[in-house]
Amino acid sequence: MLRIVMAFFSTMGIRIAVCISLLVIVCSTSVYGQLCPDFYDKSCPNVLSIVNSVVMQAVAKEKRMGASLLRLHFHDCFVNGCDGSILLDDTSTFTGEKTANPNNNSVRGFDVIDTIKTQVEATCSGVVSCADIVAIAARDSVVQLGGPTWTVMLGRRDSTSASKSAANNNIPPPTSNLSALISFFQAQGLTTEDMVALSGSHTIGQARCTNFRNRIYNESNIALLFAGLRKANCPVTGGDNNLAPLDLFTPTAFDNSYYNNLQFQNGLLHSDQQLFKGGSTDNRVSFYAVHPDAFFNDFAAAMVKMGNIKPLTVNNGEIRKNCRKIN
């Protein structure tokens, strides 16, 4: 009898182990690669609430921070994948991505990520990656500003390197025309439809005068009243860092106003207005302008897709203790 009981529990142990293994396999072979939404459910169950709390406080203090945290995720993922490389500081022997042209004196929110990381480390040290924190913070920022939510896939690890040259070459500049924008996004495995939806992130945030000066003074496909309004704070020379909202009417609300702006030639950046200029993306812009729910759904889906760009998982990369430096 004892042997039968022992054999039974032995068999049950094997079955339990197999079930656990299958759960891991399900996570690692999902349509989102090796990422899954419940990655930290056991190892750090409070991580989502910690991130959300810090983001809520940061956005309440400065609504622009919501756009900055969202942009931080974009600029991370477009450079060798969503691996937290954008967070690394330069040292005497290491050059990171912060001083690349698209990021220098422009990308913000590093202090918010630091605050989140400190609180997460105090709860579950060495468990949650900086790359995942950036991804969660981007989602929570959009929600705080009235936008859609989505399930953030988790399990990324942090890179031990960065690439200033890739940041300079892979992130679409504000001078991009439509064909260039399509190519930039296709290089990351994102479709033209994804690109139009993700461009809607410019319904929040601000841009520096240096990035839209040429448009307001030299381009013809811009509303005269809009150009005049922006010239008041962006002179022909000087004032490079003067800011203007990317969305003319609701600059701190995540909505579909961005697409309405484009229809009336009120796009702030050259690259924005390229989406509605008699080209292949005009119809989708018009569709999102009158169907905000469709924009929200497509934006959320595209964010999940973007968040899965070449993540480091399993034994690749590391879990940084300090997001600004390699362990």
Side-chain angles (χ1 to χ4, degrees):
M1 175 65 75
L2 180 60
R3 289 179 179 176
I4 294 174
V5 172
M6 291 178 66
F8 172 78
F9 281 108
S10 177
T11 302
M12 286 298 293
I14 292 172
R15 288 177 179 173
I16 291 170
V18 169
C19 288
I20 292 172
S21 296
L22 286 174
L23 287 174
V24 173
I25 291 171
V26 168
C27 176
S28 65
T29 59
S30 71
V31 293
Y32 301 108
Q34 295 178 320
L35 306 180
C36 58
D38 55 357
F39 190 84
Y40 298 112
D41 280 8
K42 300 297 183 183
S43 59
C44 194
N46 295 327
V47 61
L48 295 180
S49 61
I50 293 172
V51 176
N52 186 56
S53 176
V54 176
V55 170
M56 283 181 62
Q57 294 175 37
V59 175
K61 183 178 180 180
E62 181 196 11
K63 289 189 180 296
R64 183 190 173 200
M65 186 54 68
S68 297
L69 291 170
L70 175 59
R71 186 165 179 250
L72 194 61
H73 188 37
F74 272 84
H75 284 220
D76 183 32
C77 291
F78 267 64
V79 183
N80 298 327
C82 310
D83 59 4
S85 59
I86 194 171
L87 305 174
L88 292 170
D89 285 340
D90 289 359
T91 70
S92 58
T93 58
F94 174 86
T95 301
E97 298 164 14
K98 290 182 177 179
T99 56
N101 292 332
N103 299 331
N104 195 32
N105 297 318
S106 178
V107 173
R108 310 165 67 243
F110 300 110
D111 54 338
V112 178
I113 300 301
D114 290 340
T115 299
I116 296 171
K117 183 61 173 176
T118 298
Q119 293 188 19
V120 170
E121 284 293 308
T123 301
C124 41
S125 181
V127 173
V128 180
S129 69
C130 299
D132 275 349
I133 288 173
V134 170
I136 301 167
R139 187 271 310 274
D140 290 354
S141 293
V142 170
V143 172
Q144 286 302 309
L145 295 176
T149 188
W150 58 91
T151 299
V152 179
M153 307 303 286
L154 301 168
R156 301 169 190 81
R157 290 169 66 84
D158 299 319
S159 70
T160 56
S161 63
S163 176
K164 183 177 180 179
S165 62
N168 281 326
N169 294 320
N170 295 355
I171 298 172
T175 55
S176 300
N177 59 26
L178 181 59
S179 61
L181 287 170
I182 292 172
S183 295
F184 275 115
F185 279 75
Q186 284 182 341
Q188 304 298 334
L190 300 168
T191 66
T192 300
E193 291 74 20
D194 293 329
M195 182 270 290
V196 178
L198 290 171
S199 295
S201 63
H202 283 184
T203 188
I204 54 175
Q206 302 185 56
R208 294 183 299 153
C209 168
T210 186
N211 288 325
F212 61 84
R213 177 184 284 116
N214 185 68
R215 170 156 168 73
I216 62 176
Y217 284 101
N218 298 318
E219 295 187 7
S220 58
N221 64 329
I222 185 170
L224 292 178
L225 288 176
F226 177 66
L229 177 66
R230 292 294 164 251
K231 288 176 182 178
N233 195 44
C234 184
V236 176
T237 58
D240 283 1
N241 292 321
N242 291 352
L243 297 172
L246 288 161
D247 183 342
L248 177 59
F249 295 108
T250 55
T252 59
F254 196 101
D255 54 26
N256 65 331
S257 290
Y258 169 80
Y259 300 103
N260 288 281
N261 292 335
L262 300 185
Q263 289 184 309
F264 291 94
Q265 297 187 324
N266 291 327
L268 183 63
L269 304 178
H270 174 84
S271 55
D272 287 330
Q273 196 59 56
Q274 287 291 299
L275 301 186
F276 194 83
K277 193 187 175 186
S280 61
T281 55
D282 281 21
N283 288 340
R284 188 156 291 265
V285 168
S286 297
F287 180 71
Y288 287 153
V290 295
H291 294 95
D293 289 344
F295 162 53
F296 274 26
N297 289 335
D298 290 352
F299 179 84
M303 285 297 295
V304 174
K305 189 174 178 180
M306 186 190 76
N308 196 52
I309 296 175
K310 294 183 291 187
L312 298 174
T313 58
V314 190
N315 295 320
N316 297 314
E318 64 180 17
I319 304 298
R320 287 188 220 134
K321 295 290 188 73
N322 180 336
C323 291
R324 294 176 178 264
K325 62 182 182 179
I326 299 165
N327 291 342

